[in-house]
Amino acid sequence: MLKLAVIFLIVGLVLGGLGFGGIGGAFVGIAKILFFIAIALFVIFLVLGLIAGKTVKDAVD
């Protein structure tokens, strides 16, 4: 998902540089949304992984 966000960001910056500010801004906006979704998913999976790790560790002991 971060790869897709970077692609949208680069395309948006290129379009903005070429004078297509409206659609370039839309691409940058989509890149921001994808970036924050990726960060949120990372945090959620990090917490779930830590919880699952503790559960497995407690079950082995």
Side-chain angles (χ1 to χ4, degrees), residues 11-29:
V11 170
L13 291 174
V14 168
L15 287 173
L18 292 175
F20 299 103
I23 194 157
F27 271 83
V28 172

Side-chain angles (χ1 to χ4, degrees), residues 27-55:
F27 271 83
V28 172
I30 293 170
K32 279 186 191 178
I33 292 169
L34 289 174
F35 175 75
F36 286 120
I37 290 173
I39 294 299
L41 287 174
F42 170 75
V43 170
I44 290 169
F45 287 131
L46 181 67
V47 170
L48 289 175
L50 291 174
I51 292 171
K54 287 181 183 178
T55 305

